[in-house]
Every structure is written in C-alpha cells, then in structure tokens.
Amino acid sequence: MSVLDFDYMVGLVPILLRYLPLTLAMAAAGMALALVLACGLAVIRVLGIPGLNGVTLLFISFFRGTPLLVQLFLFYYGLPQVLAFLTQINGITATIMGLTLHFAAYMAESIRAAIVGVDRSQTEAALSIGMTNGQLMRRIVLPQATRVAVPTLMNYFIDMIKATSLAFTLGVTELMGATQKEAAGSFLYFEAFITVAVFYWVIVELLAWCQRRLETRLNEAYRR
Amino acid sequence: MIQVANLVKRFGDTTVLDGIDLAIDQGEIIVVIGPSGTGKSTLLRCLNFLERPDAGQLTIGDLDVDVTRASRADILAARRRTAFVFQNYALFANKTALENIAEGLIVVNRWPQAKAHARAREILSRIGLADKADAYPASLSGGQQQRVGIGRAMAAQAEVILFDEPTSSLDPEWVEEVLALMKQLAAERQTMLVVTHEMGFARDVADRVVFMEGGRIVEQGPPSQLFNAPRDPRTRDFLRKVLAAQPAISPS
C-alpha cells in the first residue's frame, strides 16, 4: 500500500475552489426557489383550498416518492423528447429545477407542521384585538413558525448542497464533476475523492455553525 | 352601552346559547356565574366573534349589527370595540410584555411605534410590571402573564373588557394579584363582563351578577340579592355547591 500523495491533494484544492461557486450557486438558487414553492404549498395545505389541495398532495407524493436522480434524468434526458421548448435545457437548469421540486415537496410538510404548531390561542388573541388574517400571519404566526421550521429547513439545505453533486451525471462540471475529471487524469482516486469529501464536509460545518447562531437568535424569546 | 338581543349559538345539534338578552351600561361590572358547559364562555366569545353566533342582534357603542348578516368589516368593528382576556393568557410568545401591549395599537390602530410604546409603558406601570417591559412571556409567572393579558386588553380602549375565567389557569399563589388588578379596573369604572368561579370577587366587585344555566340567563341581580336571596331553585342549588367549596366567603 502506497502512502497518500499529499502534494497532489494540496495542488487539487485551488483547482476545486474554481468550481465551488457553481456548486454553491446551484444550492442557493434551488433553496431559494424551493422555499418559495414550499411556502405556497404549505399555505394551500393549511387552508385546505379545494382542488389545489389535491394537486398539492399529488405533487408532494410524487416528488417525495421517487429518487432525485430519477427526477434529474427525467428533466434532462426525458422531458425534452416530450416538450419541444425544453430542448434547450442545460444541465445546470435541470439540476436547479430538480432540486427545487424535490426539496420543496419535503419542506412544504415541515412548514405546514410549523404553522399548525403555533398555539391556537395566540391566533384567537390576535383576532380578538381586531387584527386581519394577513396581519395575524405576518406578525404572530409566521415569525413563530419560522423558529420551529428553521432547524429542519437547514437540514434540507445541507442535504441539497450535497445533492448538487448529482449534477455531474448531467454533464455539469461542478465540484464533483471536476474531481471526477482530475481523478481520471491522475488515477489518484482516493486522494481526489477524499479531498472533495473534505470540501463538502467543511461547507456543511460552516453552515451548521451559521445555523446554531441563527437558532440562538430565534430562541431569544423563549429562554426562561 | 352594550346590548345583546336574542343571541343564539349552536354547535351541531347542541344549542349552547338559547336566546340571550343582556344590556350592559357604561361603567357597569357584570359577573356571569353558572355550572360548567352552560355557555358562559361562548357568550363572551360570540360578543367578540371568536364564535359566529347563529342569530341575534348586537349593539356595541355605535355599532349595531344583525349577527347573521355581519360582514368582515362589522366583525373587525365589533372586535375593536371589545377586548378579550383569555383563561390561558394567550400572550404572543414572540413578543415582549411591552410589545404584547403595544401590538394592537401599532397594527390595528396604526399608531406610530414610539407613541404606542409610550402608552404601553404607562399601562405596564399601572399593572405594576414596569420593570418587566422587555421580558418575554416565557420568563414571566402565570400571574404576571395574565396581568400583561389584561394590559393588552386595556390598551385597546374598548367599550368593554371580556374576561373569560381569567384566574382559572393560575396557580393559587397568583390569583390574588390578578383579582387585585381587576378590582383596580372596576374602581376606575372600566366596563367589564367577567366569567369567573371566584364568588368572592363577584360578591365584592360586581354591580350585577348573572346566573346562567343551559344556555339561558336564569336569574340576575345585584350580588346582595343573588347571593343572599336567590329566587330560582337552580341558582340556590348552584350557590350551595360552590359556596361549600369556597368556605372563606360563605354567607357573612
């Protein structure tokens, strides 16, 4: 067994750093879009809007019930054969689309649970002083639901960052794709993949640190 | 001046309020007593439209509305003319004591924040919690939370404050401070409609005591008459039971 080639690993870092922005951008775009979509789905579920509620349930069932990789292949390779306007879809767009729909399905349920979990009597108190439903949501329910939802949503964000690595199967050269190419050139597979593993690990740990700070802030009102 | 005429509320097949007529003068303190499940809380909740009544006419100050035809605007108007104090306090958990009191002024009455906070501070000192302005509900005792709940109702400057069993969730040690605050409000002639099992409070503070059973008002009158010479056998029966449980205030 040969010793690890540390020089190679150190040399790989600046190369991989060039692809880091794309990985982060796909995760950020996917998270932002998924949050918006998930909030919409959650509100539909909470209000039980007839018709839309059924569509939402079907959407959540499908995107939670099928693997992300299958969904990505469906968007990138499958849909363009059926929908002509999608022939131009590139791997990055397909990845963001897949991440958005897939994670929105999970996040919608967390957000719904967080909204429903806000103490019903506070809703009554807000209505009793003459607040409208909109004011009640904005000022009382959503701020408290946010606190409950943040830990789970951050978990999904962490999961999403790692899931961007699947983009390499659609020919996107992001962190994982770049590592794969480098490894294929050097045959130093272990060094290459352990380096990229540390990359993801560090990103996630930085995010977890942000999460702890955010949670401390959100919990300020609940310390006894 | 508040007037309730023929108020009816049903839950499914159960008639909870069976034609309630009640008039409340400005500055009057009315205590509603009666067995559990007779619609006392529902009466209060209907006045505030937390429950939608099935029939009746409601007059609160300059608002006069047939409850079956109440529009969204009517409901908001009724809520702005009535303030509610909840059994379980129902403070906004994400807001400080000061913000809980100022919230309605800012959001509903559209006061500038500085003015609303100044009023909230005034109210905090009146309820004896000036030093707790920045405390969140989770760090307050039950008694303190309920006093903030009453402060929130005071801020609304409503025609009437509706108290729904304000001391029932409290540990015994906190009951007295909440009752003391309510007595203070009564002394200032704040119009109050109070559902409570505190017979001592009813006897000492109420101008009129209303006895409800089975969704109807059975009997009402000044506390001296209702407690000492109840006319209806149901009232006598109820009073015998509760006064036996509260010996401290049995007939003097």
Side-chain angles (χ1 to χ4, degrees):
Chain A
M1 188 186 139
S2 62
V3 180
L4 284 183
D5 188 339
F6 283 108
D7 288 345
Y8 173 75
M9 288 167 67
V10 171
L12 205 52
V13 169
I15 298 170
L16 293 188
L17 272 178
R18 288 208 294 275
Y19 297 93
L20 183 62
L22 178 57
T23 289
L24 294 181
M26 287 193 297
M31 188 65 185
L33 293 171
L35 265 181
V36 173
L37 179 58
C39 283
L41 297 173
V43 169
I44 290 172
R45 294 273 289 116
V46 170
L47 300 178
I49 300 172
L52 282 179
N53 200 29
V55 175
T56 301
L57 283 174
L58 184 66
F59 172 90
I60 292 173
S61 168
F62 178 79
F63 282 98
R64 253 190 348 187
T66 53
L68 177 56
L69 187 59
V70 173
Q71 291 164 16
L72 290 178
F73 276 32
L74 197 61
F75 291 135
Y76 187 64
Y77 299 110
L79 276 189
Q81 294 185 340
V82 189
L83 302 167
F85 67 91
L86 279 178
T87 47
Q88 296 301 316
I89 195 168
N90 64 33
I92 295 173
T93 313
T95 303
I96 293 173
M97 213 168 117
L99 292 174
T100 299
L101 299 178
H102 185 81
F103 283 92
Y106 282 95
M107 285 159 43
E109 288 297 283
S110 312
I111 295 173
R112 184 185 69 87
I115 291 176
V116 172
V118 174
D119 182 12
R120 168 89 197 143
S121 69
Q122 292 184 44
T123 297
E124 292 198 332
L127 293 177
S128 82
I129 58 174
M131 279 199 212
T132 62
N133 281 323
Q135 291 168 336
L136 155 72
M137 271 290 165
R138 261 198 324 281
R139 308 217 19 134
I140 308 298
V141 175
L142 291 182
Q144 295 185 59
T146 303
R147 165 175 166 268
V148 177
V150 155
T152 1
L153 295 180
M154 287 299 270
N155 256 343
Y156 288 130
F157 189 33
I158 284 170
D159 208 10
M160 190 184 286
I161 288 173
K162 294 180 293 173
T164 56
S165 62
L166 291 174
F168 112 93
T169 62
L170 308 187
V172 179
T173 311
E174 37 62 72
L175 259 186
M176 180 62 190
T179 311
Q180 166 72 19
K181 280 182 186 162
E182 288 297 321
S186 64
F187 294 107
L188 293 171
Y189 288 105
F190 186 83
E191 282 87 342
F193 290 125
I194 195 73
T195 306
V196 79
V198 170
F199 257 77
Y200 284 112
W201 191 6
V202 169
I203 298 168
V204 168
E205 274 309 308
L206 285 175
L207 206 63
W209 179 78
C210 295
Q211 176 181 354
R212 282 191 293 273
R213 295 199 42 157
L214 180 62
E215 281 177 28
T216 310
R217 234 177 50 122
L218 288 172
N219 280 330
E220 201 185 338
Y222 301 85
R223 275 198 302 268
R224 277 160 205 279
Chain B
M1 170 78 183
I2 291 144
Q3 189 130 22
V4 180
N6 191 32
L7 194 72
V8 175
K9 174 66 187 172
R10 297 181 198 93
F11 291 116
D13 294 335
T14 317
T15 302
V16 183
L17 295 179
D18 192 7
I20 299 285
D21 297 299
L22 186 65
I24 307 168
D25 282 331
Q26 190 168 355
E28 198 177 10
I29 290 102
I30 298 188
V31 171
V32 183
I33 60 171
S36 301
T38 42
K40 307 185 299 290
S41 291
T42 306
L43 170 62
L44 260 52
R45 292 169 62 82
C46 283
L47 296 183
N48 196 257
F49 282 94
L50 286 174
E51 304 289 353
R52 185 74 190 250
D54 292 301
Q57 188 77 20
L58 190 56
T59 312
I60 309 171
D62 56 350
L63 177 82
D64 185 13
V65 60
D66 174 349
V67 295
T68 53
R69 290 202 209 105
S71 65
R72 251 175 64 89
D74 291 332
I75 291 174
L76 283 180
R79 285 176 176 160
R80 283 166 200 191
R81 284 165 177 73
T82 54
F84 210 99
V85 174
F86 294 85
Q87 182 176 344
N88 64 352
Y89 339 131
L91 296 185
F92 306 129
N94 58 331
K95 301 199 176 287
T96 62
L98 180 84
E99 290 165 345
N100 263 279
I101 294 171
E103 182 69 6
L105 296 173
I106 294 170
V107 179
V108 178
N109 301 5
R110 307 217 170 273
W111 285 21
Q113 180 169 313
K115 188 180 169 199
H117 281 190
R119 168 62 59 83
R121 278 186 204 286
E122 250 171 61
I123 291 173
L124 278 170
S125 40
R126 280 175 66 197
I127 63 178
L129 291 173
D131 57 329
K132 296 290 184 187
D134 298 322
Y136 285 97
S139 67
L140 297 175
S141 75
Q144 291 169 336
Q145 288 191 56
Q146 190 58 298
R147 280 150 69 197
V148 174
I150 294 172
R152 178 171 64 186
M154 288 159 66
Q157 299 212 281
E159 298 271 339
V160 60
I161 301 184
L162 309 168
F163 292 81
D164 186 11
E165 301 200 24
T167 57
S168 296
S169 301
L170 290 170
D171 289 338
E173 56 186 316
W174 308 125
V175 170
E176 210 41 57
E177 66 183 57
V178 171
L179 291 180
L181 173 57
M182 291 170 64
K183 284 177 187 168
Q184 179 189 325
L185 286 179
E188 295 165 9
R189 301 320 291 175
Q190 162 70 53
T191 315
M192 294 159 71
L193 182 59
V194 184
V195 170
T196 186
H197 297 291
E198 293 288 338
M199 295 302 145
F201 178 84
R203 182 190 285 271
D204 296 344
V205 181
D207 297 314
R208 182 157 40 121
V209 178
V210 171
F211 174 71
M212 275 180 71
E213 195 184 90
R216 292 167 187 270
I217 293 176
V218 173
E219 181 171 357
Q220 54 181 308
S224 53
Q225 182 249 307
L226 202 110
F227 284 111
N228 298 335
R231 279 190 283 264
D232 196 282
R234 287 170 291 180
T235 317
R236 278 200 291 273
D237 189 45
F238 172 76
L239 286 175
R240 196 164 45 241
K241 280 178 196 154
V242 293
L243 293 182
Q246 296 183 15
I249 51 113
S250 24
S252 44

